Amino acid sequence: MTSTAEAVAFWILGPLAVLGALGLIFARKAVHAALGMALTMVTLGVFYLIEKADFLGVIQIFVYTGAVMMIFLFVIMLVGVDSSDSLLETIKGQRWWSFIFVIGLAGLLIFTLGQVTFDAKTVQAGMDRLVANNNATGNVTGIAEKIFGQYVWAFEVTSALLITAALGAMVLAHRERIVPKRTQAEWAARRVKENQDVAGLPAPGVYARHNAVDTPALLPDGRPAAKSVSRVLVARDQVARTDGYRDVERYIEREIEEGRQK
Amino acid sequence: MTLSSAAYGLLGALPATDNPSADFSDTPWWVALIKALVIFVYLLISTLLVIWFERRIIGRMQQRPGPNRNGPFGLLQTLADGAKLMLKEDITPAKADKIIYLLAPLIAGTMAFVSFAIIPFGGEVWMFGHRTPLQLTDVPVAVLLVLAVASVGVYGIILAGWSSGSTYPLLGGLRSTAQVISYEIAMGLSLVAIFLFSGSMSTSQIVAAQSSLWYILPAFFSFAVYVITMVGETNRLPFDLAEGEGELTGGFHTEYSSMRFAMFFLGEYINMFTVAALATTMFLGGWQAPPFIAAINNGMFNHGWWGILWFTIKMWIFIFGFVWLRGSLPRTRYDQFMRFGWKFLIPITLAWVVAVAFIRGAQLGFLGEGTVTVGPLGFNTSTLVIVAVVAVIALAVAWVWDGRREARLAAEQVSPPEEIDPFAGGHPVPPLPGQRLREPSVALTAGGSSGESVVSGGTVTAVKEEDHG
């Protein structure tokens, strides 16, 4: 029943899939975990292809690896470029509960797998039917006949459920804007009317040896200008101190003065 | 290609199975290996050529010669550039994720080659005593496989962006991925019409189904959408927002250098060939000879090794299109580009696919069997009705759209008043063409309490201070 090529492919791809799954669990970085999952999904797709379910295999790669995992990666990358897992428990008793659930799931899997009979004849008969079907109408037509014939109701109900879920997510994430959004021109007009920062906010500090958005500009009296740094950086406490640059400036000034005196 | 055969193509029945029509039964594994090697070499040489071609053509378009020093006509310029690139220092940023930083260009480079496995270069030929099609392999879901491989190739881009540990690459990677995924949806939808016409997703079957009529005619709208999306899919100008030099320096490959950069470069150009080859296969009859040449001497040029020639010519027409676009169009704005993809291309392509489904249903006789005979051609009545309905709906939508656009433009265009007061805003404003200047109407009193005095043309005019809004 199992051809040599099939066996070789299985023993190469099987460990790869397991490796990906283990990577998902044990990787410390979220992106590495997501990549492990993508690897498992691709190998699963290849397994389907080997088992002569062409459409299913390609769709598995196309939809799960290409679309779903990509969205995951998007979110992970947008949330934090370098967010490693912390081992702190955020939900109380999470570990115990997850332990119980894992035991339950393992029991379920073991019992289900234990009842599977690896009857060579039955498997071969199923395989033969698939091959005959693939040759008669083609794999895609075969699966279309199943989805839009025998299982049309299950398919439609599932799609309705998914659409409802997508709509629900949109409704939950949607925020109604109460006042219209101000345009750039309106902001400028308001600044002039209120006579505050008429020329725009001050630019961040530019020094002889440093130039970055996190360094505040200096006021004429030498104090840092608070408005010259983005409020996001202030909230994150990522504003650089200017003392060093000021000292350099004073040092240069003193040198010039001493040079004059000589 | 005669008219009656064209009609046959339009009315073509579905094939008995959606399996590939190419026969690989007489292809031993070593012949397949040779074919794979030849395709690899073909793609590498094509890449060397296309970079030279692009620079020369753009040079011509910009009235300068382009590279012309290395080799005849500058043909070896790309080779010299490649050698230089290999000798450059390979830099890994300190904050980079080392493994993924290495992995990303490998994914982008290798995935680009995979798609060509299912592209048919020609019909059946004798190769080392074996009768075999000029195609590495074919599966019933070949076109879907191309899309799947492309979506895995995107991982190279997004991982390169993330693993560089730097802001520009991250933003460029996210942009590029969002762009490729969005345009892949429209691309897949445009290809659905082809699946409906040919009744198969295998490339050899699709080419065989176009023997009498290329799908660029019945599926003209799909072709237009595909050509737009293939530019978006390959990150080429005018849609190369992922590496918009003005805003993101180099996008996802900002931090890459040496061979790893060369891998991205190679991948990008081979992706161009992939989408062009797919367009050729899906819309321009694949490897089949163009109409009148195909009729010469009972199809002398229409089979065997000749296919490679026709295929290559058709593919390079698309490549020239890419270069032409790059030479003539500026970069679009990112939000406009995404809005165009999601709010225009995807919905309108969906509507097109529904229309094609009805037309195909009518052709296959699901909506009645009656026929109308016009001269030598027989048409299915329900097909004609459906086509007419679709055309009327399309015209009506275009009409309404046009009317609304005109109304909007008319509303935007407010004609300026005939007469203006040049000092109304506080400072002098020149009149627009055709406008009359209003004479200063304010009393000629110097130093009004609420206004400021302005000397203009020898008269002292008190101008009221208006708000600067």
Side-chain angles (χ1 to χ4, degrees):
Chain A
M1 49 180 275
T2 314
S3 66
T4 331
E6 214 176 320
V8 169
F10 177 80
W11 285 112
I12 292 172
L13 292 174
L16 263 182
V18 174
L19 209 70
L22 289 178
L24 168 65
I25 299 171
F26 292 113
R28 293 298 293 270
K29 277 188 178 169
V31 171
H32 291 172
L35 275 185
M37 196 162 166
L39 178 68
T40 310
M41 283 169 169
V42 170
T43 17
L44 267 185
V46 178
F47 277 138
Y48 291 145
L49 284 174
I50 292 170
E51 295 300 323
K52 297 188 175 61
D54 297 319
F55 187 72
L56 204 59
V58 170
I59 288 295
Q60 162 85 21
I61 296 175
F62 189 21
V63 173
Y64 283 90
T65 322
V68 176
M69 272 322 291
M70 197 53 86
I71 308 274
F72 261 70
L73 269 181
F74 247 74
V75 173
I76 291 167
M77 287 179 184
L78 282 178
V79 163
V81 179
D82 192 35
S83 61
S84 297
D85 258 350
S86 97
L87 287 176
L88 226 71
E89 240 182 332
T90 44
I91 305 169
K92 221 181 153 197
Q94 185 189 7
R95 269 179 216 176
W96 286 109
W97 278 112
S98 55
F99 187 68
I100 293 168
F101 281 124
V102 163
I103 297 275
L105 185 66
L108 195 71
L109 281 176
I110 288 167
F111 276 111
T112 326
L113 286 180
Q115 284 177 352
V116 171
T117 46
F118 289 101
D119 180 15
K121 242 194 234 161
T122 326
V123 173
Q124 190 57 46
M127 223 36 211
D128 286 344
R129 217 167 50 234
L130 178 64
V131 170
N133 201 12
N134 280 356
N135 288 335
T137 59
N139 185 266
V140 185
T141 314
I143 212 163
E145 274 167 5
K146 282 267 186 274
I147 290 179
F148 296 107
Q150 194 177 350
Y151 298 112
V152 68
W153 274 110
F155 188 70
E156 290 301 322
V157 167
T158 315
S159 72
L161 192 70
L162 286 177
I163 289 172
T164 317
L167 275 179
M170 276 167 70
V171 167
L172 287 178
H174 181 69
R175 198 184 60 175
E176 196 77 41
R177 190 173 271 284
I178 301 168
V179 286
K181 194 182 176 185
R182 285 215 179 85
T183 63
Q184 208 172 359
E186 281 167 346
W187 275 110
R190 202 178 84 156
R191 272 212 287 271
V192 172
K193 203 171 234 170
E194 291 176 357
N195 201 16
Q196 264 184 355
D197 305 315
V198 177
L201 293 172
V206 177
Y207 302 91
R209 298 183 185 178
H210 192 79
N211 171 22
V213 284
D214 65 340
T215 3
L218 295 183
L219 293 172
D221 57 358
R223 281 179 300 123
K227 277 181 180 172
S228 64
V229 193
S230 160
R231 62 192 164 85
V232 177
L233 292 177
V234 176
R236 283 193 194 158
D237 210 11
Q238 286 178 336
V239 180
R241 296 172 61 87
T242 52
D243 306 1
Y245 310 117
R246 249 186 334 183
D247 290 347
V248 169
E249 213 165 303
R250 276 181 198 152
Y251 176 74
I252 295 170
E253 270 171 12
R254 205 172 58 228
E255 281 217 321
I256 292 170
E257 221 154 273
E258 280 169 3
R260 270 198 200 131
Q261 283 165 6
K262 270 178 196 169
Chain B
M1 191 171 73
T2 60
L3 267 177
S4 57
S5 68
Y8 166 77
L10 269 174
L11 295 169
L14 282 180
T17 111
D18 55 44
N19 286 333
S21 62
D23 180 17
F24 292 96
S25 56
D26 191 21
T27 309
W29 63 269
W30 54 270
V31 170
L33 198 69
I34 288 171
K35 281 199 255 182
L37 196 70
V38 169
I39 290 175
F40 185 70
V41 173
Y42 176 86
L43 284 177
L44 283 184
I45 291 175
S46 297
T47 310
L48 282 183
L49 266 179
V50 77
I51 296 172
W52 170 81
F53 176 78
E54 176 166 25
R55 294 177 65 178
R56 288 289 284 197
I57 295 286
I58 286 194
R60 287 278 160 191
M61 286 176 178
Q62 295 168 350
Q63 308 203 341
R64 58 187 172 83
N68 59 359
R69 296 290 146 145
N70 288 318
F73 309 108
L75 265 169
L76 299 180
Q77 181 65 43
T78 321
L79 212 61
D81 283 345
K84 187 195 77 173
L85 211 51
M86 270 184 256
L87 297 173
K88 289 258 176 178
E89 185 189 352
D90 198 1
I91 297 167
T92 309
K95 278 191 179 175
D97 190 314
K98 300 280 181 314
I99 303 167
I100 296 183
Y101 189 74
L102 174 70
L103 190 70
L106 287 182
I107 295 178
T110 47
M111 280 304 146
F113 284 95
V114 175
S115 299
F116 258 87
I118 53 94
I119 299 290
F121 285 83
E124 288 199 343
V125 292
W126 286 102
M127 206 189 264
F128 308 107
H130 293 278
R131 186 92 180 138
T132 177
L134 281 174
Q135 183 177 7
L136 181 55
T137 182
D138 199 2
V139 283
V141 285
V143 181
L144 278 188
L145 189 84
V146 174
L147 293 178
V149 167
S151 69
V152 175
V154 179
Y155 272 85
I157 294 174
I158 194 168
L159 291 180
W162 177 79
S163 67
S164 297
S166 154
T167 313
Y168 282 140
L170 182 74
L171 292 178
L174 288 177
R175 251 193 195 192
S176 158
T177 318
Q179 167 180 343
V180 173
I181 292 180
S182 317
Y183 273 68
E184 213 170 72
I185 299 173
M187 180 184 257
L189 280 175
S190 75
L191 294 181
V192 168
I194 302 296
F195 304 152
L196 288 174
F197 274 114
S198 67
S200 173
M201 292 188 217
S202 99
T203 43
S204 59
Q205 183 82 266
I206 288 172
V207 170
Q210 295 179 73
S211 59
S212 51
L213 182 70
W214 293 359
Y215 283 146
I216 184 173
L217 287 180
F220 60 92
F221 190 79
S222 280
F223 179 71
V225 173
Y226 183 87
V227 169
I228 294 170
T229 54
M230 79 180 191
V231 181
E233 174 93 5
T234 44
N235 290 334
R236 292 271 309 181
L237 262 169
F239 300 148
D240 72 335
L241 307 147
E243 42 193 291
E245 287 87 354
E247 55 231 52
L248 290 174
T249 48
F252 62 90
H253 57 58
T254 304
E255 304 286 354
Y256 280 88
S257 58
S258 186
M259 273 309 280
R260 301 190 198 181
F261 172 73
M263 290 292 272
F264 281 119
F265 208 58
L266 183 71
E268 198 169 299
Y269 275 99
I270 292 180
N271 272 338
M272 256 168 76
F273 281 110
T274 307
V275 289
L278 199 64
T280 304
T281 308
M282 305 294 279
F283 297 101
L284 294 189
W287 51 265
Q288 297 183 67
F292 299 101
I293 298 174
I296 295 174
N297 204 0
N298 207 7
M300 185 173 81
F301 298 117
N302 202 14
H303 56 79
W305 295 97
W306 284 101
I308 297 182
L309 177 68
W310 310 127
F311 179 82
T312 310
I313 289 174
K314 288 176 193 172
M315 192 169 75
W316 278 82
I317 290 173
F318 285 102
I319 299 289
F320 178 76
F322 273 120
V323 176
W324 196 1
L325 282 178
R326 184 179 160 187
S328 47
L329 290 181
R331 189 173 293 136
T332 52
R333 219 172 67 195
Y334 189 66
D335 61 326
Q336 289 174 338
F337 171 71
M338 289 302 260
R339 195 172 57 210
F340 178 67
W342 282 99
K343 292 194 176 170
F344 181 75
L345 279 185
I346 293 177
I348 206 165
T349 317
L350 260 178
W352 162 250
V353 167
V354 172
V356 169
F358 271 102
I359 293 172
R360 268 315 263 172
Q363 281 175 358
L364 296 174
F366 288 113
L367 305 174
E369 294 283 359
T371 51
V372 181
T373 316
V374 184
L377 303 176
F379 291 109
N380 194 318
T381 320
S382 50
T383 312
L384 292 181
V385 171
I386 295 272
V387 169
V389 167
V390 168
V392 165
I393 290 175
L395 279 177
V397 168
W399 189 48
V400 170
W401 189 321
D402 230 33
R404 282 201 187 156
R405 200 177 64 108
E406 259 168 32
R408 205 183 62 228
L409 286 181
E412 270 175 14
Q413 204 166 32
V414 183
S415 57
E418 275 182 27
E419 214 182 48
I420 64 156
D421 183 356
F423 290 104
H427 47 85
V429 177
L432 288 170
Q435 260 185 336
R436 239 185 5 258
L437 281 181
R438 185 189 293 157
E439 293 303 317
S441 55
V442 195
L444 298 170
T445 52
S449 58
S450 66
E452 115 193 46
S453 296
V454 178
V455 179
S456 94
T459 5
V460 180
T461 317
V463 177
K464 243 176 103 184
E465 180 90 29
E466 304 246 338
D467 63 318
H468 289 274

